[in-house]
Amino acid sequence: MDETTLTPVTEPIAPGAPGIPPTWSSSSKDMVGCALGSSRLWYTVGYGIVNEVYYPRIDIPQIRDLGFIVADDKGFWVEVKRLRGRSLRTAAPGVPGVEVVHHHPRFDLTLRIAPDQQRDVLLIDVTLEGDESLRPYALLAPHLGGTGHDNRAVIDEYHGRRVLWAEQGPFGLALAAVDAAQRDAWGRASAGYVGMSDGWQDFKRNGAMHWQYREAGPGNVALMGELPRRSTLALGFGSSRESAATLAVGALMQPFANHWQAHIDSWQAWHAGCGQSCKSAPDLPMALREQFTTSAMVLRTHLDVTYPGAMVASLSIPWGNTRNERGGYHLVWPRDLVECAGALLALGAEDKAREVLRYLISTQHADGHWNQNQWLGGKPFWQAIQLDEAAFPVLLAARLHERDALAGTEVTDMVRRALGFIARTGPASDQDRWEEDAGVNAFTLAACIAALVAGAEFLESPARDMARALADDWNSQIEEWTVARGTTLARRIGVAGYYVRIAPSRTLMDEEALKETLPIKNRVQDPGLPASEQIGTDFLQLVRFGLRRADDPLIIDTLKVVDELLKVDTPSGPAWHRYNGDGYGEHPDGTSFDGTGQGRAWPLLTGERGHYELCAGRDPLPMLTAMVSMCGQSGMMPEQVWDSEPIPARWLYPGRPTGSAMPLAWAHAEYIKLAASRTLGAPIDRPEAVWKRYQGKRPPATWRHWCEQAPIGHVTTGQRLRICLHAPSTVQWSLDGWHTVHELRTDDSGLGLHMAAPDIRMMAVGTQIDFSFRNDDVGVVNDQRYRIEVTG
């Protein structure tokens, strides 16, 4: 196609520019995510090579990398991914067809990359210009079955065409090549063992291609083949090497230009179908509008086809060049999925957001919760409980309902079960959103309270009344549970108090529990900080969801502490760490995170701060600008950016991407939502029912709830009390030290809690309410006695 139709991503990178790694495998630097229209293949492209091929039907990556060598057969050879000179362009704005040109004084190697719209095939058009003595060579490292182990590589013929094949168990791949006349294009070819007899080792030892081994394996294998100066490659995947070859060769039986144009047409039709909202605010600077389109592309790229509505957290593996793992971020987190669905709604893609909701309904457990994360087909991976992940699907249902966009999707049962799980489990969570510690967390509380209020709209009484009353109760207690006051840190910064990162679960009964040490597990040595000295950014969700106002004095005080401890001013703009003491990031010397390290700044948190700025009446444009500046060369937004002194030897520069996940789908979703919120004038994902109920103000709680999983120690005079149990029970209670005993049978709340409400409305300050209970279903008596005190 004509050169003018290609859209530049950046200027060519000059030697010494940041963000260019010396090696590449399945790590995450500067990827371009590419989706495939109707195809089921997912892949990402970095520096003109295919780094990860992702096959949603089996939920695992299928290759480690696909790269190129240029050589003259006389001792000169260059692996092009190590070249600093390179330019990268997309086929059109928001279209993940990629052209990469690798520049060298002796040659230019141009790679154009696009999928087949009908087959599980990735196509690469190869053009070498310059010194006529040079030839390109393709290197492919299979990771079939998501691992380098037990792969077999073979050079063979398939119906008269030479094919580079690999197999492992039920998985097969085939790399075929044709010239301009669609004739078999492979020259010499070889299969070898990685690090011993692979093609790269051949060039390293001999300066040219000398080896032509027919097969290798089982083991960690690699393939290499010689190409003419102009050719097209097809990398096909199937349930056998033959089926993969059938797909690959079939894709090559038409000009690459046909695939290229079909890919552009498909993507442009999708963008057009999103409507005016895809264009974002017309007053955004051009670079920010372009990033909006790129981020929309990234989100659609992450949508699965085999399992509609599913999205992995990232097509990359954080620090993937240092490990061999199937999981990485190639998993579905319900929280990340709903965050991305919110961005799809902002784009006008209501049909895609609906599919997300339907996928979530199909993978909800009977008790109401979701897996911590899972493979695309729903099989669990990690299995801890994160309470906010039970809340977010309810919030998505509410958002769709607000837009009259449920389109017949019945959500009442899902909502009831999810709210029941929250009521029976909260307000403490086994893990926070960063998957590290148990306790009471402001972000998790905000999500759960918002879900109780928004979800109540779908329910009938008594479940509706219970959900709202519990939400009011928890909302009224946020400060009692999660705020530290009068600490050494507060005095040093000059504030009265601040929201902590996580309060230990025991804080529900005893505020002194904030003095307990909260472990930080991703450091070489735990710094041993008490919960009262650990600060995070999670409290901002209280403002975003409408539970607190932006000018609340405690919110403002916590911002001062956060900016003192967590803010980093990078050359790209401001960014924040997750919490003080965080160890999730490269080590100080720049070596990769290996279970421990040092936390870095997150562009995602810059977006969350932008939503706060909007709520405070300020323009979040500086935060949008910073997020764009932190992107990789191709507009991919990283999980983290480097925030220390530059380490050129490791390609780490302040404000630029680290080896963490990139692209991070959640970060791109946050950018889209912040741009859309700026146009709207309020957070686009703030539930209407929550704002209507609270208007950012802490409510008075008519009811306090003592629950088996969350006992409380006191109620305020004038408040009412519900004793909430997990089974039908009889409650015995006394106001005079068990001299006079009353009995109450529990009532079903409609949310899986069974409630008894002793009448304490006229009780004076200092009154002590003693109670015990027995399970009526099995006749088991709980011998333990409990006490609640009436306070002023």
Side-chain angles (χ1 to χ4, degrees), residues 387-388 391-392 395 427-429 431-434 437-451 474-475 477-484 498-504 514 518 534-548 554-555 558 562 608:
L387 204 54
D388 64 317
F392 271 101
L395 295 175
S429 176
Q431 287 185 347
D432 65 332
R433 66 169 172 165
W434 305 126
D437 282 289
V440 186
N441 169 267
F443 181 95
T444 300
L445 270 176
C448 291
I449 294 166
W474 290 0
N475 194 359
Q477 297 301 306
I478 291 173
E479 283 70 24
E480 275 65 27
W481 292 337
T482 65
V483 170
Y498 48 82
Y499 295 93
V500 299
R501 171 194 165 211
I502 301 175
L514 279 177
L518 183 70
Q534 294 189 32
I535 313 302
T537 62
D538 291 355
F539 73 101
L540 291 176
Q541 201 73 10
L542 300 173
V543 177
R544 182 165 175 167
F545 276 178
L547 306 182
R548 296 294 181 270
L554 192 53
I555 294 289
T558 310
V562 161
E608 291 188 352

Side-chain angles (χ1 to χ4, degrees), residues 359-617:
Y359 172 81
L360 287 165
I361 292 172
S362 72
T363 57
Q364 184 184 24
H365 285 273
D367 68 357
H369 85 284
W370 279 264
N371 295 320
Q372 176 184 356
N373 56 26
Q374 62 193 28
W375 298 106
L376 289 160
K379 183 179 180 179
F381 190 64
W382 295 337
Q383 300 186 51
I385 297 297
Q386 296 172 16
L387 204 54
D388 64 317
E389 293 195 312
F392 271 101
V394 176
L395 295 175
L396 175 58
R399 288 285 293 123
L400 284 163
H401 179 64
E402 289 169 8
R403 299 165 70 113
D404 195 24
L406 284 171
T409 303
E410 177 53 55
V411 300
T412 301
D413 181 64
M414 178 274 284
V415 169
R416 179 183 292 106
R417 285 191 285 143
L419 297 190
F421 184 82
I422 291 170
R424 297 189 306 273
T425 307
S429 176
D430 286 354
Q431 287 185 347
D432 65 332
R433 66 169 172 165
W434 305 126
E435 306 183 292
E436 291 171 6
D437 282 289
V440 186
N441 169 267
F443 181 95
T444 300
L445 270 176
C448 291
I449 294 166
L452 287 165
V453 172
E457 303 292 313
F458 296 100
L459 306 179
E460 301 292 336
S461 294
R464 173 186 291 181
D465 300 333
M466 177 62 180
R468 289 171 175 168
L470 190 61
D472 290 351
D473 182 3
W474 290 0
N475 194 359
S476 72
Q477 297 301 306
I478 291 173
E479 283 70 24
E480 275 65 27
W481 292 337
T482 65
V483 170
R485 304 178 190 272
T487 64
T488 301
L489 177 61
R491 290 191 295 271
R492 177 168 71 82
I493 298 178
V495 298
Y498 48 82
Y499 295 93
V500 299
R501 171 194 165 211
I502 301 175
S505 299
R506 204 167 62 82
T507 307
L508 298 173
M509 282 287 290
D510 181 8
E511 64 183 21
E512 292 297 307
L514 279 177
K515 297 177 182 178
E516 296 176 0
T517 298
L518 183 70
I520 295 177
K521 304 168 187 175
N522 51 27
R523 296 287 295 271
V524 173
Q525 183 174 353
D526 188 337
L529 294 174
S532 60
E533 299 286 336
Q534 294 189 32
I535 313 302
T537 62
D538 291 355
F539 73 101
L540 291 176
Q541 201 73 10
L542 300 173
V543 177
R544 182 165 175 167
F545 276 178
L547 306 182
R548 296 294 181 270
R549 299 188 67 85
D551 59 358
D552 184 294
L554 192 53
I555 294 289
I556 292 173
D557 277 356
T558 310
L559 283 172
K560 293 177 183 177
V561 180
V562 161
D563 288 350
E564 176 77 17
L565 298 183
L566 306 181
K567 184 181 180 183
V568 180
D569 288 309
T570 77
S572 299
W576 283 262
H577 288 207
R578 299 187 302 172
Y579 56 87
N580 55 322
D582 186 11
Y584 181 56
E586 280 90 349
H587 289 271
D589 64 357
T591 55
S592 295
F593 176 77
D594 55 6
T596 65
Q598 179 175 313
R600 304 293 166 185
W602 288 54
L604 166 66
L605 300 182
T606 298
E608 291 188 352
R609 181 60 173 265
H611 272 99
Y612 169 79
E613 296 297 316
L614 178 67
C615 293

Side-chain angles (χ1 to χ4, degrees), residues 59-77:
D59 300 0
I60 47 181
Q62 295 299 305
I63 71 170
R64 180 176 177 84
D65 55 22
L66 171 56
F68 293 86
I69 284 175
V70 174
D72 63 3
D73 226 14
K74 300 175 183 178
F76 169 82
W77 68 283

Side-chain angles (χ1 to χ4, degrees), residues 765-786:
V765 173
T767 299
Q768 293 178 337
I769 307 144
D770 294 303
F771 67 94
S772 63
F773 55 88
R774 68 171 181 268
N775 185 321
D776 290 344
D777 283 346
V778 294
V780 174
V781 177
N782 186 331
D783 292 331
Q784 188 169 352
R785 293 184 173 184
Y786 305 93

